[in-house]
Amino acid sequence: ERALILVPEIGLTPQLVGRFAARFSVPMATLHSALTAGARLAAWRDALSGRARIVLGTRSAVFAPLERLGLIVIDEEHDPSFKQHDGGFRYSARDIAVMRAQRAGVPIVLGSATPSLESLHNARLGRYTRLELPFRTGEAVPPRLALVDLRSEALRHGLSTFVTQAIRRHLDDGGQVLVYLNRRGYAPTLACTACGWIAGCDACDARLTVYARAARLRCHHCGADAPLPARCPQCGYEVRAVGQGTERIEETLAALFPDAPLARLDRDAVRRDAELTAVLERVSSGEARILVGTQMVTKGHDFPDVTLAVVLNADHGLFSTDFRAAERLAQTIVQVAGRAGRGTRPGEVLIQTEYPGHPLLTSLLADGYEGFAATALAEREAAGWPPYGRLAAMRASAPSLHEAVEFLTAARQALAPPRGVKLLGPAPAAMARRADRFHAQLLAESGDRAALHRYLEAWLPRAEALPSARRVRWALDVDPLELF
């Protein structure tokens, strides 16, 4: 029999391949988008022929042609990377894997320290069997979490005095330190200190990110790139970088701790597999004493000497309009905390916030992810949001906002929804203009999945037949992970 192992990030693949190769003396194949066409074809043939007994890959590997499938494992099943939400084909690799396992009559394991609320709900209903691993491997114990109140702390480029002192203490004790900030670049904003001008993207409703070392301004939405101006283009006065990114935090830490070698792990510092491997080896060997990074540092890496993890900006998900933001923030905090104290020494986690009394943070510290999830599920149930309700988003983009909204309005009028199905919108996206196109969406909502899908099946052909459908780009996203 064969096993299919799915991981959320390409960066995790080499690490896992090494572990599987050391444990299982059977032929393996890896499948992910970073492979060359020839390597991908060879792996696909190994899977099809049955030569590969284990196939390990990212979300697209869920379609690997495995005969005599015996087991499927989804590592970090909560990770949004398993959802393909753009392009012509939208799918959830996790959900397809569940259906594939069901039809093949084989077990599937959904692994996560922070399960998605949908998976926890399925476990509550008895659809999934819940298996708990209450203890860390070896002698490791759970780290101690604490909030750092930024209202009473002096800051130096985003680092509080308390955090700075904690970093020094752990470094002096021989530990390594992980600093997490989910913001790339040097600073998220460039502003004039006189007239208030802010560097914005000409093609998006977004601010340009400052890259100090490259002396560039870049848009993280459309890829626009421009030189970093020395003076304000409006009034000629001095400009200033506002806020912190990983590049700036790295610079600040290097100045504060010149004796501690640094490593940075984000999409700008690591663009190729070799660069990722080099950074991970520097941290694993102990050469790098401080690791600064974005979401990439939370993806299951094992750093046994990391004794302190710091979350610099825990507030970005506390007041978001996205109903999943709180869940994402809680998962991130717990995943970052999971990097600390994995060896024999106890770990410590510090979370900087200006809202230490926020219910999400207090419940997370008092009751852990389990307590947070119970509260979040109760809120979702009261609001009728997933997993207690089902959503489908029809999204459209066009050269003008009017054209996008016009199509969605016509689509809404094309077929009246039945009882139990509601249409919400259309409405412009929170960031309506991206890459010189305007975006809007129309939501279909129902408490009954079957009723929603029956409506979608009848509705789609009518939307496709609309004259305005040919003037816009549009797509339907069922069970969307992100809302505008």
Side-chain angles (χ1 to χ4, degrees):
E1 292 185 340
R2 276 69 182 162
L4 174 62
I5 316 296
L6 298 185
V7 296
E9 291 285 342
I10 293 172
L12 291 180
T13 311
Q15 182 186 60
L16 279 181
V17 168
R19 290 183 177 179
F20 272 80
R23 178 66 177 84
F24 302 102
S25 57
V26 297
M28 293 177 55
T30 59
L31 283 167
H32 52 77
S33 60
L35 295 174
T36 63
R40 192 182 306 182
L41 177 60
W44 190 267
R45 285 175 171 170
D46 285 346
L48 180 62
S49 66
R51 179 182 177 278
R53 299 288 300 278
I54 298 174
V55 174
L56 192 152
T58 50
R59 63 181 175 231
S60 60
V62 75
F63 301 108
L66 282 170
E67 297 292 336
R68 295 181 59 197
L69 183 62
L71 173 70
I72 300 177
V73 177
I74 313 292
D75 187 32
E76 307 291 0
E77 67 86 24
H78 68 278
D79 199 292
S81 300
F82 284 120
K83 178 68 182 284
Q84 173 72 36
H85 54 77
D86 54 11
F89 181 42
R90 290 163 171 78
Y91 66 94
S92 166
R94 180 197 63 192
D95 295 347
I96 287 178
V98 170
M99 292 301 298
R100 184 171 182 179
Q102 183 185 53
R103 293 183 179 184
V106 301
I108 180 170
V109 178
L110 306 180
S112 176
T114 54
S116 65
L117 296 188
E118 285 82 0
S119 293
L120 288 175
H121 180 61
N122 281 327
R124 281 185 173 185
L125 295 178
R127 295 171 181 162
Y128 295 171
T129 300
R130 180 163 178 165
L131 304 174
E132 296 189 16
L133 300 176
F135 304 107
R136 287 183 159 192
T137 58
E139 301 176 26
V141 296
R144 181 181 66 86
L145 276 69
L147 299 178
V148 178
D149 188 351
L150 294 183
R151 298 172 302 179
S152 58
E153 283 285 326
L155 285 177
R156 176 173 176 178
H157 297 310
L159 290 168
S160 66
T161 301
F162 186 88
V163 162
T164 302
Q165 292 171 346
I167 292 175
R168 171 49 63 193
R169 185 176 73 253
H170 280 262
L171 291 175
D172 290 345
D173 289 342
Q176 289 175 302
V177 175
L178 184 153
V179 178
Y180 168 82
L181 175 65
N182 198 30
R183 184 174 285 161
R184 293 186 289 135
Y186 186 82
T189 304
L190 185 72
C192 176
T193 55
C195 71
W197 170 84
I198 292 177
C201 178
D202 292 335
C204 306
D205 294 334
R207 297 173 179 176
L208 294 173
T209 299
V210 178
Y211 283 80
R213 291 179 189 172
R216 309 295 295 180
L217 291 172
R218 293 169 182 162
C219 179
H220 287 169
H221 300 279
C222 72
D225 187 282
L228 181 65
R231 297 281 175 178
C232 174
Q234 285 190 173
C235 71
Y237 207 73
E238 182 182 1
V239 290
R240 181 168 60 96
V242 180
Q244 289 79 37
T246 48
E247 186 182 311
R248 190 171 200 171
I249 291 298
E250 181 187 22
E251 177 185 272
T252 303
L253 288 168
L256 289 170
F257 308 101
D259 57 327
L262 278 152
R264 197 172 97 228
L265 191 58
D266 59 32
R267 294 298 179 196
D268 299 315
V270 174
R271 297 181 180 274
R272 294 184 295 272
D273 288 347
E275 293 172 329
L276 172 64
T277 301
V279 170
L280 296 180
E281 286 180 353
R282 288 189 65 212
V283 178
S284 298
S285 68
E287 176 195 345
R289 306 307 303 163
I290 301 176
L291 174 63
V292 180
T294 57
Q295 288 277 2
M296 293 182 72
V297 304
T298 71
K299 305 293 185 178
H301 302 296
D302 184 19
F303 304 129
D305 290 333
V306 169
T307 55
L308 173 65
V310 180
V311 180
L312 289 188
N313 183 11
D315 297 338
H316 70 279
L318 295 179
F319 305 103
S320 174
T321 56
D322 187 348
F323 74 96
R324 295 186 190 274
E327 177 185 3
R328 295 279 181 254
L329 176 59
Q331 289 168 341
T332 296
I333 290 175
V334 174
Q335 292 289 335
V336 171
R339 303 310 106 207
R342 297 174 69 88
T344 57
R345 289 181 290 185
E348 181 180 7
V349 181
L350 300 178
I351 304 165
Q352 291 193 163
T353 176
E354 293 185 2
Y355 305 94
H358 193 283
L360 184 154
L361 297 175
T362 55
S363 69
L364 195 60
L365 264 66
D367 304 314
Y369 186 76
E370 184 79 17
F372 158 78
T375 302
L377 280 169
E379 292 175 352
R380 295 272 188 95
E381 185 176 17
W385 287 102
Y388 299 95
R390 301 296 177 179
L391 295 176
M394 181 177 283
R395 299 191 173 108
S397 72
S400 71
L401 183 59
H402 171 75
E403 290 174 290
V405 173
E406 179 185 44
F407 163 72
L408 293 176
T409 301
R412 174 170 186 149
Q413 296 169 351
L415 181 65
R419 182 185 299 272
V421 177
K422 292 190 298 184
L423 295 181
L424 307 174
M431 191 173 76
R433 186 170 61 112
R434 294 199 304 275
D436 270 335
R437 294 187 67 86
F438 290 83
H439 300 255
Q441 78 173 8
L442 175 65
L443 279 182
E445 176 191 6
S446 178
D448 183 346
R449 175 185 284 273
L452 177 61
H453 280 260
R454 283 194 299 269
Y455 174 69
L456 296 178
E457 187 176 353
W459 185 38
L460 273 179
R462 301 200 181 193
E464 290 172 346
L466 292 170
S468 55
R470 293 187 290 272
R471 298 192 293 270
V472 302
R473 298 174 191 166
W474 66 279
L476 184 69
D477 187 4
V478 180
D479 296 330
L481 287 187
E482 297 179 356
L483 299 180
F484 287 158

